[in-house]
Protein backbone atom coordinates (compact mmCIF):
# COMPACT_ATOMS: atom_id res chain seq x y z
CA UNK A 1 0.00 0.00 0.00
CA UNK A 2 1.22 3.51 -0.78
CA UNK A 3 2.65 5.32 2.25
CA UNK A 4 0.33 8.31 1.89
CA UNK A 5 -2.71 6.15 1.30
CA UNK A 6 -1.96 4.17 4.48
CA UNK A 7 -1.54 7.43 6.42
CA UNK A 8 -4.83 8.79 5.09
CA UNK A 9 -6.64 5.49 5.78
CA UNK A 10 -5.47 5.35 9.42
CA UNK A 11 -8.45 6.55 11.41
CA UNK A 12 -9.55 6.13 15.03
CA UNK A 13 -12.69 4.16 14.16
CA UNK A 14 -14.81 2.30 16.72
CA UNK A 15 -17.27 -0.03 14.94
CA UNK A 16 -15.87 -3.53 14.48
CA UNK A 17 -16.95 -6.86 13.15
CA UNK A 18 -15.11 -10.01 14.26
CA UNK A 19 -12.09 -11.26 12.36
CA UNK A 20 -9.49 -13.94 13.02
CA UNK A 21 -6.05 -12.57 13.89
CA UNK A 22 -3.31 -14.84 12.58
CA UNK A 23 0.11 -15.13 14.23
CA UNK A 24 1.66 -14.58 10.82
CA UNK A 25 0.02 -11.16 10.61
CA UNK A 26 1.24 -10.23 14.10
CA UNK A 27 4.81 -11.13 13.14
CA UNK A 28 4.62 -9.12 9.98
CA UNK A 29 3.30 -5.93 11.60
CA UNK A 30 5.77 -6.28 14.48
CA UNK A 31 8.63 -6.53 12.03
CA UNK A 32 7.45 -3.34 10.37
CA UNK A 33 7.36 -1.59 13.75
CA UNK A 34 10.80 -2.76 14.86
CA UNK A 35 12.45 -1.16 11.81
CA UNK A 36 11.73 2.28 13.34
CA UNK A 37 14.57 4.56 14.36
CA UNK A 38 15.55 4.78 18.03
CA UNK A 39 18.32 6.50 19.96
CA UNK A 40 21.49 4.41 19.52
CA UNK A 41 19.21 1.69 18.09
CA UNK A 42 17.98 0.84 21.62
CA UNK A 43 14.53 -0.40 20.42
CA UNK A 44 12.86 0.37 23.79
CA UNK A 45 9.32 -0.65 22.74
CA UNK A 46 7.56 -3.76 24.06
CA UNK A 47 4.31 -4.97 22.50
CA UNK A 48 1.85 -7.47 23.95
CA UNK A 49 -0.51 -8.67 21.23
CA UNK A 50 -3.65 -9.73 23.10
CA UNK A 51 -6.05 -11.91 21.13
CA UNK A 52 -6.88 -14.88 23.41
CA UNK A 53 -10.43 -14.83 24.79
CA UNK A 54 -9.37 -14.97 28.43
CA UNK A 55 -6.64 -12.35 28.13
CA UNK A 56 -8.97 -10.04 26.20
CA UNK A 57 -11.67 -10.41 28.87
CA UNK A 58 -9.23 -9.42 31.60
CA UNK A 59 -8.15 -6.39 29.60
CA UNK A 60 -11.75 -5.32 28.89
CA UNK A 61 -12.21 -4.90 32.65
CA UNK A 62 -9.56 -2.17 32.63
CA UNK A 63 -11.20 0.05 29.98
CA UNK A 64 -12.91 3.27 31.01
CA UNK A 65 -16.59 3.28 30.08
CA UNK A 66 -16.18 5.60 27.09
CA UNK A 67 -13.93 2.95 25.53
CA UNK A 68 -16.31 0.01 25.91
CA UNK A 69 -16.62 -0.06 22.10
CA UNK A 70 -13.09 -1.54 22.14
CA UNK A 71 -14.51 -4.79 23.57
CA UNK A 72 -15.54 -5.58 19.98
CA UNK A 73 -11.95 -5.31 18.72
CA UNK A 74 -10.46 -8.66 17.69
CA UNK A 75 -7.09 -7.76 19.23
CA UNK A 76 -5.73 -5.24 21.71
CA UNK A 77 -2.05 -4.34 21.63
CA UNK A 78 -0.48 -3.14 24.87
CA UNK A 79 2.44 -0.81 24.16
CA UNK A 80 4.89 -0.31 27.01
CA UNK A 81 8.42 0.85 27.71
CA UNK A 82 10.48 2.51 30.42
CA UNK A 83 13.18 5.13 30.73
CA UNK A 84 15.92 2.59 31.38
CA UNK A 85 15.39 0.90 28.00
CA UNK A 86 16.53 3.95 26.02
CA UNK A 87 18.92 6.92 26.00
CA UNK A 88 18.70 9.68 28.57
CA UNK A 89 20.67 12.70 27.36
CA UNK A 90 20.85 15.44 30.00
CA UNK A 91 17.21 15.81 31.02
CA UNK A 92 15.92 14.42 27.73
CA UNK A 93 14.38 10.94 27.94
CA UNK A 94 13.91 9.13 24.63
CA UNK A 95 11.85 6.04 25.44
CA UNK A 96 8.39 7.53 24.85
CA UNK A 97 9.41 9.34 21.68
CA UNK A 98 11.07 6.26 20.18
CA UNK A 99 8.18 4.00 21.22
CA UNK A 100 5.87 6.48 19.48
CA UNK A 101 7.89 6.18 16.27
CA UNK A 102 7.65 2.38 16.30
CA UNK A 103 3.95 2.52 17.18
CA UNK A 104 3.22 4.77 14.19
CA UNK A 105 4.85 2.19 11.92
CA UNK A 106 2.95 -0.61 13.68
CA UNK A 107 -0.38 1.12 13.12
CA UNK A 108 0.36 1.84 9.46
CA UNK A 109 1.28 -1.82 8.94
CA UNK A 110 -2.06 -2.83 10.47
CA UNK A 111 -3.90 -0.39 8.21
CA UNK A 112 -2.09 -1.94 5.27
CA UNK A 113 -3.73 -5.24 6.27
CA UNK A 114 -7.13 -3.60 5.78
CA UNK A 115 -7.74 -3.28 9.52
CA UNK A 116 -8.36 -0.45 11.98
CA UNK A 117 -5.72 0.48 14.58
CA UNK A 118 -7.10 2.84 17.23
CA UNK A 119 -4.73 3.89 20.03
CA UNK A 120 -6.43 4.62 23.37
CA UNK A 121 -5.38 6.37 26.57
CA UNK A 122 -8.56 5.59 28.53
CA UNK A 123 -7.79 2.53 30.66
CA UNK A 124 -6.64 1.71 34.18
CA UNK A 125 -2.93 1.26 33.71
CA UNK A 126 -2.21 -0.54 36.99
CA UNK A 127 -4.96 -3.10 36.41
CA UNK A 128 -4.02 -3.58 32.76
CA UNK A 129 -0.38 -4.22 33.67
CA UNK A 130 -1.48 -6.81 36.24
CA UNK A 131 -3.79 -8.46 33.69
CA UNK A 132 -0.91 -8.95 31.22
CA UNK A 133 1.95 -9.53 33.68
CA UNK A 134 3.63 -6.31 32.56
CA UNK A 135 6.18 -5.35 35.26
CA UNK A 136 5.10 -2.51 37.53
CA UNK A 137 8.00 -0.28 36.52
CA UNK A 138 6.95 -0.28 32.85
CA UNK A 139 4.95 2.64 31.49
CA UNK A 140 1.94 1.14 29.69
CA UNK A 141 1.34 4.06 27.39
CA UNK A 142 -1.43 2.85 25.10
CA UNK A 143 -3.80 0.04 24.23
CA UNK A 144 -4.41 -0.20 20.50
CA UNK A 145 -7.76 -1.63 19.40
CA UNK A 146 -7.37 -3.66 16.20
CA UNK A 147 -10.22 -4.99 14.14
CA UNK A 148 -12.12 -5.08 10.90
CA UNK A 149 -14.26 -2.00 10.44
CA UNK A 150 -18.00 -2.56 10.42
CA UNK A 151 -20.48 -0.48 8.45
CA UNK A 152 -22.99 -1.07 11.23
CA UNK A 153 -22.52 1.72 13.80
CA UNK A 154 -25.68 0.91 15.75
CA UNK A 155 -23.84 -0.41 18.81
CA UNK A 156 -21.99 2.90 19.22
CA UNK A 157 -23.25 5.84 21.25
CA UNK A 158 -24.70 8.80 19.35
CA UNK A 159 -21.56 10.92 19.48
CA UNK A 160 -19.37 8.08 18.27
CA UNK A 161 -21.81 7.27 15.46
CA UNK A 162 -21.20 10.81 14.21
CA UNK A 163 -17.38 10.77 14.56
CA UNK A 164 -17.32 7.44 12.71
CA UNK A 165 -18.48 9.25 9.58
CA UNK A 166 -16.22 12.31 9.75
CA UNK A 167 -12.46 12.58 9.37
CA UNK A 168 -10.88 14.50 12.24
CA UNK A 169 -9.35 17.82 11.19
CA UNK A 170 -5.74 18.96 11.56
CA UNK A 171 -4.08 22.26 12.45
CA UNK A 172 -3.00 24.43 9.51
CA UNK A 173 0.74 24.38 8.70
CA UNK A 174 1.40 27.76 10.35
CA UNK A 175 0.27 26.48 13.75
CA UNK A 176 2.76 23.63 14.08
CA UNK A 177 5.51 24.25 11.51
CA UNK A 178 7.92 27.13 11.05
CA UNK A 179 10.78 27.97 8.74
CA UNK A 180 14.19 28.78 10.30
CA UNK A 181 12.73 30.12 13.56
CA UNK A 182 10.05 29.12 16.08
CA UNK A 183 7.01 31.41 15.89
CA UNK A 184 4.54 29.68 18.20
CA UNK B 1 6.20 4.85 -2.52
CA UNK B 2 5.12 1.59 -0.88
CA UNK B 3 4.88 1.83 2.92
CA UNK B 4 7.23 -1.08 3.52
CA UNK B 5 9.72 0.13 0.97
CA UNK B 6 9.82 3.56 2.64
CA UNK B 7 10.32 1.91 6.03
CA UNK B 8 13.15 -0.25 4.70
CA UNK B 9 14.77 2.71 2.92
CA UNK B 10 14.78 4.89 6.08
CA UNK B 11 18.32 4.68 7.37
CA UNK B 12 20.43 6.89 9.64
CA UNK B 13 22.95 7.77 6.94
CA UNK B 14 25.58 10.50 7.30
CA UNK B 15 27.14 11.27 3.90
CA UNK B 16 25.35 14.09 2.10
CA UNK B 17 25.65 16.06 -1.09
CA UNK B 18 23.98 19.48 -1.33
CA UNK B 19 20.41 19.78 -2.58
CA UNK B 20 17.92 22.63 -2.68
CA UNK B 21 15.05 22.27 -0.22
CA UNK B 22 11.85 23.73 -1.61
CA UNK B 23 9.09 25.18 0.58
CA UNK B 24 6.61 23.02 -1.32
CA UNK B 25 8.41 19.89 -0.17
CA UNK B 26 8.42 21.11 3.44
CA UNK B 27 4.66 21.67 3.33
CA UNK B 28 4.05 18.27 1.87
CA UNK B 29 6.10 16.34 4.42
CA UNK B 30 4.62 18.41 7.27
CA UNK B 31 1.12 17.57 6.08
CA UNK B 32 2.04 13.88 6.12
CA UNK B 33 3.32 14.23 9.69
CA UNK B 34 0.29 16.12 11.00
CA UNK B 35 -2.06 13.29 9.97
CA UNK B 36 -0.60 11.17 12.79
CA UNK B 37 -2.76 10.06 15.69
CA UNK B 38 -2.54 11.94 18.99
CA UNK B 39 -4.41 11.80 22.28
CA UNK B 40 -7.74 13.61 21.77
CA UNK B 41 -6.27 14.90 18.51
CA UNK B 42 -4.09 17.39 20.44
CA UNK B 43 -1.31 17.46 17.79
CA UNK B 44 1.37 18.48 20.31
CA UNK B 45 4.32 18.44 17.87
CA UNK B 46 6.09 21.60 16.69
CA UNK B 47 8.58 21.47 13.81
CA UNK B 48 11.13 24.13 12.86
CA UNK B 49 12.42 23.45 9.35
CA UNK B 50 15.87 25.06 9.29
CA UNK B 51 17.33 25.63 5.83
CA UNK B 52 18.54 29.24 5.78
CA UNK B 53 22.33 29.63 5.80
CA UNK B 54 22.43 31.77 8.90
CA UNK B 55 19.98 29.67 10.93
CA UNK B 56 21.81 26.49 9.92
CA UNK B 57 25.17 27.98 11.00
CA UNK B 58 23.78 28.84 14.41
CA UNK B 59 22.42 25.33 14.80
CA UNK B 60 25.71 23.72 13.72
CA UNK B 61 27.35 25.35 16.76
CA UNK B 62 25.08 23.30 19.01
CA UNK B 63 26.03 19.85 17.62
CA UNK B 64 28.25 17.54 19.64
CA UNK B 65 31.45 16.70 17.78
CA UNK B 66 30.36 13.17 16.81
CA UNK B 67 27.51 14.76 14.86
CA UNK B 68 29.61 17.22 12.84
CA UNK B 69 28.72 15.19 9.71
CA UNK B 70 25.26 16.80 10.02
CA UNK B 71 26.75 20.14 8.97
CA UNK B 72 26.55 18.78 5.40
CA UNK B 73 22.78 18.23 5.65
CA UNK B 74 20.76 20.62 3.51
CA UNK B 75 18.12 21.01 6.23
CA UNK B 76 17.84 20.35 9.96
CA UNK B 77 14.40 19.89 11.51
CA UNK B 78 14.03 20.78 15.18
CA UNK B 79 11.24 18.71 16.78
CA UNK B 80 9.86 20.05 20.04
CA UNK B 81 6.83 19.77 22.29
CA UNK B 82 5.86 20.02 25.96
CA UNK B 83 3.64 18.24 28.42
CA UNK B 84 1.00 20.99 28.41
CA UNK B 85 0.32 20.53 24.68
CA UNK B 86 -1.10 17.02 25.11
CA UNK B 87 -3.10 14.74 27.43
CA UNK B 88 -1.84 13.80 30.86
CA UNK B 89 -3.80 10.77 32.14
CA UNK B 90 -2.91 9.93 35.74
CA UNK B 91 0.89 9.82 35.62
CA UNK B 92 0.97 9.08 31.88
CA UNK B 93 2.18 11.98 29.73
CA UNK B 94 1.45 11.68 26.01
CA UNK B 95 3.35 14.52 24.35
CA UNK B 96 6.58 12.64 23.62
CA UNK B 97 4.81 9.50 22.43
CA UNK B 98 2.51 11.43 20.10
CA UNK B 99 5.35 13.62 18.81
CA UNK B 100 7.24 10.40 18.07
CA UNK B 101 4.32 9.11 16.01
CA UNK B 102 4.20 12.29 13.92
CA UNK B 103 7.99 12.30 13.54
CA UNK B 104 7.97 8.75 12.18
CA UNK B 105 5.49 9.85 9.51
CA UNK B 106 7.58 12.96 8.82
CA UNK B 107 10.71 10.90 8.28
CA UNK B 108 8.96 8.40 6.02
CA UNK B 109 7.58 11.28 3.92
CA UNK B 110 11.13 12.63 3.56
CA UNK B 111 12.40 9.19 2.52
CA UNK B 112 9.62 9.10 -0.06
CA UNK B 113 11.19 12.25 -1.54
CA UNK B 114 14.40 10.29 -2.09
CA UNK B 115 16.16 11.98 0.82
CA UNK B 116 17.77 10.87 4.08
CA UNK B 117 16.14 11.73 7.44
CA UNK B 118 18.49 11.04 10.36
CA UNK B 119 17.21 11.90 13.86
CA UNK B 120 19.91 12.91 16.34
CA UNK B 121 20.04 13.25 20.12
CA UNK B 122 23.59 14.68 20.27
CA UNK B 123 23.23 18.45 20.53
CA UNK B 124 23.15 21.13 23.21
CA UNK B 125 19.45 21.60 23.74
CA UNK B 126 19.62 24.93 25.58
CA UNK B 127 21.81 26.52 22.91
CA UNK B 128 19.75 25.05 20.06
CA UNK B 129 16.52 26.40 21.55
CA UNK B 130 18.11 29.85 21.84
CA UNK B 131 19.36 29.68 18.25
CA UNK B 132 15.83 29.01 16.92
CA UNK B 133 13.83 31.09 19.43
CA UNK B 134 12.19 27.94 20.79
CA UNK B 135 10.69 28.82 24.21
CA UNK B 136 12.68 27.54 27.19
CA UNK B 137 9.82 25.40 28.48
CA UNK B 138 9.68 23.35 25.27
CA UNK B 139 11.44 19.98 25.16
CA UNK B 140 13.61 19.99 22.03
CA UNK B 141 13.75 16.25 21.59
CA UNK B 142 15.55 15.79 18.29
CA UNK B 143 17.26 17.46 15.38
CA UNK B 144 16.68 15.60 12.12
CA UNK B 145 19.38 15.91 9.46
CA UNK B 146 17.83 15.92 5.98
CA UNK B 147 19.76 15.67 2.75
CA UNK B 148 20.57 13.81 -0.39
CA UNK B 149 22.73 10.79 0.24
CA UNK B 150 26.23 10.90 -1.23
CA UNK B 151 28.14 7.87 -2.41
CA UNK B 152 31.33 9.63 -1.31
CA UNK B 153 31.92 8.71 2.33
CA UNK B 154 35.44 10.13 2.46
CA UNK B 155 34.51 13.05 4.72
CA UNK B 156 33.19 10.68 7.40
CA UNK B 157 35.28 9.19 10.17
CA UNK B 158 36.35 5.55 9.82
CA UNK B 159 33.62 4.13 12.06
CA UNK B 160 30.89 6.06 10.25
CA UNK B 161 32.28 5.01 6.85
CA UNK B 162 31.64 1.43 7.96
CA UNK B 163 28.14 2.00 9.38
CA UNK B 164 27.19 3.81 6.17
CA UNK B 165 27.52 0.49 4.32
CA UNK B 166 25.70 -1.76 6.78
CA UNK B 167 22.04 -1.84 7.79
CA UNK B 168 21.61 -1.76 11.56
CA UNK B 169 20.14 -4.97 12.98
CA UNK B 170 16.95 -5.39 14.99
CA UNK B 171 15.96 -7.54 17.96
CA UNK B 172 14.22 -10.83 17.14
CA UNK B 173 10.42 -10.88 17.62
CA UNK B 174 10.62 -12.77 20.93
CA UNK B 175 12.61 -9.98 22.57
CA UNK B 176 10.12 -7.19 22.08
CA UNK B 177 6.76 -8.82 21.23
CA UNK B 178 4.61 -11.26 23.15
CA UNK B 179 1.26 -12.95 22.67
CA UNK B 180 -1.41 -12.47 25.39
CA UNK B 181 1.10 -11.99 28.22
CA UNK B 182 4.31 -10.04 28.82
CA UNK B 183 7.32 -12.34 28.99
CA UNK B 184 10.23 -9.88 29.11
Amino acid sequence: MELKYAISKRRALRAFEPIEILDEMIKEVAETAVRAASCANKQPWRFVFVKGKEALSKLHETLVSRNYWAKDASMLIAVSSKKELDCVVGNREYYLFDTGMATAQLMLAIVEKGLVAHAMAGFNSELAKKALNIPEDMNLITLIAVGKHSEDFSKLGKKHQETEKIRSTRKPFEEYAYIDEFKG
Side-chain angles (χ1 to χ4, degrees), chain A:
Chain A
M1 187 182 281
E2 281 286 307
L3 169 69
K4 277 184 190 148
Y5 185 72
I7 285 172
S8 73
K9 285 293 274 185
R10 189 212 52 74
R11 286 185 56 203
L13 297 165
R14 293 180 175 86
F16 295 117
E17 57 185 63
I19 192 179
E20 193 188 354
I21 302 286
L22 301 173
D23 287 354
E24 206 43 58
M25 194 271 270
I26 291 174
K27 287 228 163 139
E28 206 181 308
V29 298
E31 278 158 17
T32 304
V34 80
R35 291 283 359 147
S38 59
C39 187
N41 198 19
K42 294 267 192 185
Q43 308 166 60
W45 44 78
R46 300 292 180 267
F47 302 115
V48 186
F49 293 87
V50 182
K51 60 170 191 158
K53 209 174 166 182
E54 205 181 321
L56 278 174
S57 285
K58 283 196 279 179
L59 212 44
H60 292 165
E61 303 288 313
T62 74
L63 294 170
V64 300
S65 59
R66 72 169 185 281
N67 281 338
Y68 281 176
W69 55 266
K71 294 180 183 180
D72 283 338
S74 299
M75 177 163 69
L76 293 169
I77 308 172
V79 180
S80 64
S81 184
K82 62 180 175 182
K83 185 171 82 172
E84 292 76 11
L85 293 176
D86 206 337
C87 304
V88 178
V89 181
N91 52 14
R92 281 177 275 145
E93 298 175 1
Y94 280 87
Y95 79 103
L96 287 168
F97 181 77
D98 290 345
T99 299
M101 290 203 284
T103 301
Q105 295 196 177
L106 178 71
M107 294 206 292
L108 293 175
I110 291 166
V111 168
E112 195 180 34
K113 297 290 178 193
L115 301 178
V116 172
H118 182 157
M120 300 177 285
F123 55 90
N124 183 313
S125 177
E126 295 314 309
L127 293 180
K129 285 196 275 189
K130 271 190 195 129
L132 302 178
N133 265 336
I134 297 173
E136 263 186 55
D137 66 343
M138 294 288 278
N139 183 349
L140 173 55
I141 190 75
T142 191
L143 296 178
I144 304 172
V146 177
K148 183 166 161 38
H149 191 228
S150 168
E151 294 302 320
D152 178 6
F153 307 162
S154 61
K155 281 179 78 180
L156 299 177
K158 249 195 179 147
K159 194 186 138 201
H160 287 165
Q161 289 194 19
E162 286 310 308
T163 53
E164 204 76 355
K165 295 175 207 158
I166 307 157
R167 275 204 74 99
S168 59
T169 56
R170 289 297 185 273
K171 291 180 196 292
F173 182 84
E174 295 71 27
E175 288 183 19
Y176 68 92
Y178 322 103
I179 309 282
D180 284 342
E181 192 181 18
F182 192 92
K183 294 202 181 83

